[in-house]
Each structure stands twice: as structure tokens, then as C-alpha cells.
């Protein structure tokens, strides 16, 4: 499927908007690809091909609109356009709900949250960016073994443990001795803390998201979460010894551990209300299914996105588990961390307006996590969080 196939064919302003989204998708995915450049492996292709395709389309857009400022090459596209020009200064047209005007694609030399969300909103185009070969392998092997709960346990452990001592790594590898691939999955998920990741033999852990932080040249620390980096946690890390320690690989921090934090927080909150909460049922068909002794049951996908327009494009249809299915539920929810909607009164309305899943599945609603918790019964005794079955 091409990028063009993913966008609706229309005419006039809508057609220009469609072309603008194609161009932005190319440039954004190219920037994310560039940020994971692998040195000698890519010497023949020092930049992502999608940047060149985006550059070509941008030149056409500039010419069509009569712009006097044209990108002169890939370096100019990346370091001038992407790093210094907000989207309002590009010769592009977007749906107002995309709220793209003031956004930059590159901030502090890295793809911005807006850039990464635009990539995530088109998974069929750049699925390799956020679902690695390891994720697919764990899913496939767990399914073949008839033990889908192993995949859920793997995600849970990665979210909880971003830094491990040698002894902690051994204990984690020995967690499932009856499942031979488990130890290999753990080995492939972690790497020794490199010397450039240390300062005076220590590594920092963010007090906000609990992920390992990157050592900067000026001996400061940078959190992998945009929300923490821009907030109060970035300047007050917790330090741990990095000697012989292992850290979760960066791509798994970004696409497993960080999204997993609000998922686990919600699971714990529902368990406190008395529910039996199953994480990642059906090999991640949903994030959470919560079932109360009274029979009340919900299915939930937690979506920690800044931009509701882009989130709407990524929402998949919920599985229709009913009747005697062990994960049957009566109401489905897209649950957004409450702080994502603060100061954004239109967040949920934009989400509902642009999501085909929400419009075609009447049993599915979009709510904040706080609102979801308030809708659930409280049985007065603690339930449990489990990985199934």
C-alpha cells in the first residue's frame, strides 16, 4: 500500500490537503529514519530516501504557490525547514483540526513529538519504525507456543525495568525456564550501558517516567519523554550505578516502555476498584480488559498522543469478543491520559470527528482516563493485574 492509497481522493482544497499530508508523511518518516542511522551499515545511503521524495514534492509545492524560498537540498530541508520553519511557513494546507501551524518537525536535533506522531499515524507506511523485528518475533513465537501471555509478560517487564544490574538481568532471564525463547528475548531487549551513557560512572533515571536518560555533552541529562523533558522532572534525575549495568534498548523505551506507563497505571487503578485486569489480551488486540465480579466488563486501548487528529487516523477497530469468550466485554474505550486534554477542550471532539473506528463501532467511546475510572464500579476489595489467560 502506498502513502497515496491511505489518503482520501478528492479535489480542490481537499486535494491540496491530501498532497500536503503525503509530503509531510514522507518528510516526517524520513527524519525518524535518519535519527536511527546505523553508521557504516548505511554508508551508501547516508539519508532516508523518503527525505529525497519529500524534498522533490516540497520543491513542486513551492513552485505552485509562487514561494521565493526553495529548499536547496537534503541538508537545507532538515536543518533549515524542519528545524526552524513552523508548518505555517510551509506551502502546505492542512485540516484545521490537525493543529499543525506552530509545529516544528525537528527540535534540539531530534524529531519532535509532532513529527513522531505523524509517522505513527501511518503505520502501514513506516511500520518498521515502531514495531521492530523483535516485537514481531515475540508475538509470533508466543502464539506458536500457545502461550500468548508470554508476550504480555515481556511487555510488562520491559515497562517496569529499563535499567538492570547483572544480577537483576539474570533473574529476569530465568523468569520462565519452561519457555526457552524467553531468555533470548530478554538478551535482545537490553544492552550494556555504553560509556557515553554515563557521567562519573552513573546513569540517570527520570523521576517522571522512570526511563533512563541520555547524557549530554554538558554533563546534563535528557529524558526520552517529550512531556518530561519539557517539564519539571528533567532537572532532577535519580542516579544509579552504571557499572556493568544493562539498559533497555532505545527503540523499546520509546515504543514499548513509555506507552506502557499509562497502560500499567490504568490497570492498577482498575484493580484497586476490584477488577481482574488482563494486560495485552489477544497478543495486544487491546491494552486492557477489566472484568468485575459483578459481571461488568470493559475493553480499553490507552492512547498517549498529543495530537488528536493524528491519533484518530491510527485507531484500529476493537475485537468483538462476546458471549463465552474469556475476554468478553460490553463497552470499549479509547482512554487518553487526562493531562493530554488539559487546555484542549476540543481534543475528544476532534478525535471523534476523524476516527472511523469510533464512528462505526457504537460500543466504542473516547474518554479521559480519569473519566473512565469514574465510570467503573468499586467492589470494595482489590482485584488483580494479570497477563492472562
Amino acid at each position: 500500500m502506498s502513502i497515496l492509497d491511505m489518503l482520501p481522493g478528492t479535489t480542490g482544497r481537499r486535494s491540496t490537503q491530501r498532497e500536503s499530508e503525503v509530503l509531510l508523511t514522507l518528510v516526517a518518516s524520513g527524519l525518524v529514519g535518519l535519527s536511527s542511522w546505523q553508521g557504516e551499515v548505511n554508508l551508501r545511503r547516508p539519508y532516508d530516501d523518503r527525505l529525497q521524495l519529500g524534498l522533490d514534492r516540497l520543491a513542486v509545492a513551492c513552485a505552485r504557490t509562487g514561494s521565493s524560498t526553495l529548499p536547496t537540498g537534503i541538508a537545507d530541508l532538515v536543518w533549515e525547514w524542519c528545524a526552524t520553519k513552523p508548518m505555517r511557513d510551509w506551502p502546505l494546507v492542512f485540516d484545521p483540526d490537525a493543529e499543525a501551524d506552530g509545529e516544528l518537525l525537528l527540535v534540539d536535533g531530534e524529531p519532535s513529538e509532532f513529527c513522531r506522531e505523524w509517522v505513527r499515524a501511518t503505520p502501514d507506511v513506516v511500520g518498521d519504525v515502531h514495531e521492530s523485528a523483535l516485537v514481531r518475533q515475540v508475538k509470533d513465537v508466543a502464539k506458536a507456543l500457545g502461550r500468548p501471555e508470554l508476550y504480555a509478560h515481556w511487555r510488562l517487564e520491559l515497562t517496569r525495568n529499563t535499567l538492570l544490574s547483572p544480577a537483576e538481568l539474570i533473574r529476569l532471564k530465568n523468569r520462565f525456564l519452561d519457555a526457552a525463547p524467553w531468555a533470548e528475548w530478554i538478551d535482545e531487549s537490553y544492552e550494556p550501558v555504553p560509556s557515553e551513557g554515563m557521567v562519573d560512572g552513573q546513569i540517570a533515571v527520570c523521576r517522571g517516567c522512570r526511563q533512563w536518560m541520555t547524557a549530554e555533552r554538558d554533563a546534563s541529562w535528557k529524558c526520552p519523554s517529550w512531556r518530561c523533558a519539557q517539564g519539571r522532572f528533567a532537572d532532577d534525575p535519580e542516579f544509579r550505578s552504571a557499572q556493568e549495568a544493562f539498559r533497555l534498548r532505545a527503540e523499546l523505551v520509546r515504543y514499548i516502555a513509555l506507552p506502557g506507563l499509562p497502560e500499567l497505571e490504568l490497570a492498577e487503578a482498575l484493580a484497586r476498584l476490584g477488577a481482574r485486569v488482563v494486560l495485552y489480551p489477544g497478543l495486544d488486540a487491546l491494552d486492557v480488559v477489566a472484568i468485575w465480579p459483578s459481571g461488568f466488563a470493559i475493553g480499553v486501548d490507552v492512547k498517549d498522543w498529543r495530537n488528536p487528529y493524528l491519533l484518530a487516523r491510527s485507531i484500529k477497530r476493537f475485537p468483538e469478543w462476546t458471549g463465552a469468550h474469556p475476554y468478553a466485554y460490553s463497552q470499549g474505550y479509547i482512554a487518553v491520559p487526562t493531562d493530554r486534554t488539559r487546555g484542549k477542550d476540543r481534543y475528544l471532539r476532534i478525535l471523534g470527528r476523524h476516527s472511523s473506528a469510533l464512528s462505526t463501532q457504537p460500543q466504542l467511546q473516547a474518554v479521559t482516563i480519569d473519566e473512565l475510572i469514574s465510570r467503573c464500579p468499586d467492589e470494595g476489595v482489590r482485584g488483580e493485574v494479570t497477563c492472562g489467560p
Side-chain angles (χ1 to χ4, degrees):
M1 179 182 291
S2 71
I3 294 174
L4 290 172
D5 293 331
M6 299 188 65
L7 300 171
T10 49
T11 58
R13 175 185 170 84
R14 187 66 179 173
S15 178
T16 303
Q17 176 185 316
R18 175 174 175 269
E19 288 298 318
S20 297
E21 293 192 353
V22 171
L23 191 160
L24 180 53
T25 298
L26 285 167
V27 174
S29 56
L31 285 174
V32 172
L34 185 67
S35 70
S36 59
W37 184 68
Q38 298 177 2
E40 293 185 2
V41 176
N42 290 340
L43 279 178
R44 288 191 170 185
R45 295 171 56 192
Y47 55 81
D48 194 290
D49 286 346
R50 289 165 293 192
L51 285 174
Q52 184 62 58
L53 293 172
L55 175 65
D56 295 342
R57 287 177 176 266
L58 180 56
V60 171
C62 288
R64 184 178 62 237
T65 59
S67 174
S68 58
T69 304
L70 298 174
T72 58
I74 295 294
D76 187 44
L77 171 64
V78 172
W79 298 113
E80 292 299 324
W81 286 72
C82 296
T84 68
K85 287 182 181 290
M87 297 311 302
R88 71 170 70 91
D89 294 336
W90 293 49
L92 306 177
V93 175
F94 296 102
D95 188 303
D97 285 345
E99 298 178 335
D101 281 1
E103 299 287 354
L104 291 170
L105 292 180
L106 203 65
V107 175
D108 294 334
E110 294 186 2
S112 65
E113 190 173 30
F114 173 79
C115 176
R116 290 187 182 276
E117 286 192 350
W118 200 276
V119 172
R120 290 170 64 197
T122 53
D124 289 339
V125 180
V126 287
D128 59 308
V129 170
H130 66 280
E131 182 161 300
S132 69
L134 178 58
V135 176
R136 292 191 292 272
Q137 178 193 7
V138 175
K139 278 187 178 181
D140 291 346
V141 174
K143 181 179 181 180
L145 291 174
R147 298 188 59 182
E149 75 278 7
L150 288 176
Y151 169 76
H153 279 291
W154 177 73
R155 286 198 60 163
L156 175 60
E157 295 296 348
L158 265 54
T159 301
R160 286 178 171 171
N161 300 289
T162 55
L163 278 173
L164 294 171
S165 69
E168 290 169 335
L169 181 67
I170 291 173
R171 283 197 294 270
L172 185 54
K173 289 172 64 174
N174 291 337
R175 173 88 190 276
F176 293 100
L177 294 175
D178 61 336
W182 174 265
E184 180 182 342
W185 296 341
I186 298 303
D187 269 337
E188 293 187 26
S189 301
Y190 291 87
E191 63 183 5
V193 175
S195 59
E196 61 269 22
M198 310 178 192
V199 171
D200 296 330
Q202 292 185 311
I203 190 167
V205 177
C206 176
R207 294 183 188 273
C209 66
R210 308 305 302 168
Q211 309 305 307
W212 57 264
M213 303 173 76
T214 303
E216 302 288 278
R217 291 182 178 179
D218 60 358
S220 65
W221 297 89
K222 185 174 183 179
C223 178
S225 167
W226 278 85
R227 299 160 80 185
C228 296
Q230 296 171 2
R232 64 185 176 87
F233 297 109
D235 298 327
D236 185 29
E238 174 186 319
F239 291 97
R240 290 185 53 181
S241 173
Q243 298 301 323
E244 300 183 340
F246 294 83
R247 69 182 189 184
L248 188 62
R249 294 186 181 277
E251 68 273 15
L252 297 176
V253 169
R254 188 173 297 280
Y255 297 113
I256 296 291
L258 283 174
L261 290 173
E263 296 161 2
L264 297 191
E265 290 173 1
L266 174 62
E268 290 293 339
L270 298 179
R272 287 194 293 272
L273 297 177
R276 178 178 185 267
V277 184
V278 182
L279 290 170
Y280 314 119
L283 291 170
D284 203 22
L286 291 175
D287 291 328
V288 163
V289 166
I291 304 170
W292 278 258
S294 63
F296 183 78
I298 59 174
V300 187
D301 251 1
V302 179
K303 297 295 186 182
D304 188 9
W305 288 58
R306 176 169 169 256
N307 189 299
Y309 177 80
L310 299 179
L311 169 56
R313 294 159 53 126
S314 77
I315 296 175
K316 60 189 178 184
R317 288 184 62 84
F318 271 38
E320 297 179 358
W321 295 332
T322 57
H325 194 285
Y327 303 136
Y329 62 92
S330 57
Q331 181 65 54
Y333 290 101
I334 298 295
V336 180
T338 304
D339 67 309
R340 288 293 195 184
T341 66
R342 290 189 184 122
K344 295 183 177 181
D345 295 339
R346 299 170 60 238
Y347 191 108
L348 295 179
R349 291 199 299 273
I350 291 173
L351 191 55
R353 187 155 53 238
H354 293 280
S355 169
S356 60
L358 285 167
S359 63
T360 58
Q361 291 191 287
Q363 79 280 18
L364 182 59
Q365 297 180 38
V367 296
T368 67
I369 286 180
D370 284 354
E371 182 180 358
L372 172 58
I373 293 172
S374 72
R375 293 186 182 189
C376 295
D378 187 348
E379 300 285 349
V381 294
R382 181 175 173 81
E384 64 173 339
V385 177
T386 178
C387 292

